[in-house]
Amino acid sequence: MEIDDCGVGILYEGFRAGVEPGGLTTDYEIKILICHVLKHIERPMPVSALIELFVGEGIGNYFEAASAAAALVKSGHIAIGGCEGEKCYTLTDLGESAAGTFEKTLPLSVREKAVDAANRYFIRRERRAHNKAEVQKADDGYLLTLTITDVGSDLLKLTILLPDEETCGRIRERFLDDPIVVYKGVVASLTGSFENVGALLDDVE
C-alpha cells in the first residue's frame, strides 16, 4: 500500500498489527462486539481480560480494543466497577440495547469466537481459584505439587520431581487449564484403563 508523507499508511498497519484475517478493523465493530460479549456472558469482566480477549483471539489489536472500551465508558454504554479486588467492565442498559440492535451486523463467526473465549476465561479462572500447583526447590531438582481441592478431602494431591523451573511452569499451566483431565488420566493409568488414557490424550491435543 502507498504511504503518504504523514505516515498514515504506517499508522494503519499499526492498527492492524496482530489482527487475523476476518478480524475487526473499525472502531464501530469493536465497540459493538464488546457490548455483545458483556451481554452474553451476563457478568462483569476484568478490564485486562476483556482487552486480552481481542488480542489473544486475533480479533483486534490492543490499541483498538482499549480505545474502543474507553470510548464506550465515556458514552455510557459500559461502566467500570470493582469486582473481587480488580476493575471490571459492566454492561449498562444503554450498552445492552445497542448490542441487541446492532450485534447481528457483525459476522457470526467473530461473535461466537469472542463469547467462547470469554467463557473459557471464566472457566480457567474458576479452576485456578480451586486448584493449586506449588513449586519447591529440592537438592536434586524441583518438587511440583498438584492439588485438586474438593468440599471434603482433596480429590488429588500429587508431587513430582522435575529438573528445572521451566518444566514446572509448563506442567503447572497445563494442569491449571484442565485439572480434571490430569485426575482422570492418573486414575485411568493406575487402574490399567489405558483406552481411557488414550481418549483423554486425544482430547487434549
Side-chain angles (χ1 to χ4, degrees):
M1 65 179 295
E2 295 183 1
I3 300 176
D4 59 26
D5 293 338
C6 296
V8 174
I10 294 175
L11 182 60
Y12 177 78
E13 290 300 331
F15 288 169
R16 291 287 297 148
V19 182
E20 297 178 358
L24 305 183
T25 59
T26 71
D27 180 71
Y28 163 79
E29 290 177 321
I30 293 175
K31 287 178 180 177
I32 295 301
L33 187 60
I34 289 173
C35 292
H36 172 79
V37 169
L38 292 174
K39 172 188 172 185
H40 284 272
I41 62 175
E42 299 181 327
R43 67 173 87 180
M45 188 165 188
V47 169
S48 59
L50 183 61
I51 302 304
E52 178 57 32
L53 181 154
F54 281 80
V55 178
E57 296 298 319
I59 297 172
N61 68 28
Y62 181 90
F63 178 86
E64 292 173 316
S67 177
L72 286 170
V73 172
K74 188 175 182 178
S75 64
H77 288 81
I78 63 176
I80 296 180
C83 58
E84 299 182 10
E86 57 187 328
K87 290 183 179 180
C88 292
Y89 287 129
T90 302
L91 190 65
T92 64
D93 290 341
L94 182 61
E96 184 169 0
S97 176
T101 302
F102 300 110
E103 60 191 0
K104 290 187 178 179
T105 62
L106 303 177
L108 176 61
S109 59
V110 173
R111 283 182 275 148
E112 291 180 340
K113 184 178 185 179
V115 173
D116 287 346
N119 286 328
R120 288 197 305 274
Y121 163 79
F122 283 106
I123 291 172
R124 289 195 301 270
R125 183 186 177 101
E126 185 73 13
R127 287 170 176 166
R128 288 169 184 256
H130 292 90
N131 301 284
K132 302 176 184 177
E134 301 170 323
V135 179
Q136 181 181 354
K137 182 70 173 70
D139 292 337
D140 50 351
Y142 291 83
L143 293 171
L144 175 63
T145 300
L146 308 175
T147 306
I148 300 177
T149 61
D150 204 350
V151 177
S153 302
D154 291 336
L155 193 62
L156 172 79
K157 190 160 190 175
L158 175 67
T159 300
I160 313 169
L161 178 65
L162 296 166
D164 52 58
E165 288 186 280
E166 183 180 352
T167 303
C168 289
R170 290 199 304 269
I171 294 176
R172 176 183 181 276
E173 290 306 305
R174 289 184 66 106
F175 168 72
L176 291 175
D177 277 344
D178 200 342
I180 295 303
V181 165
V182 175
Y183 172 77
K184 290 181 178 179
V186 169
V187 172
S189 296
L190 294 175
T191 58
S193 301
F194 296 107
E195 292 181 359
N196 292 335
V197 174
L200 285 170
L201 293 176
D202 290 341
D203 290 340
V204 172
E205 294 173 356

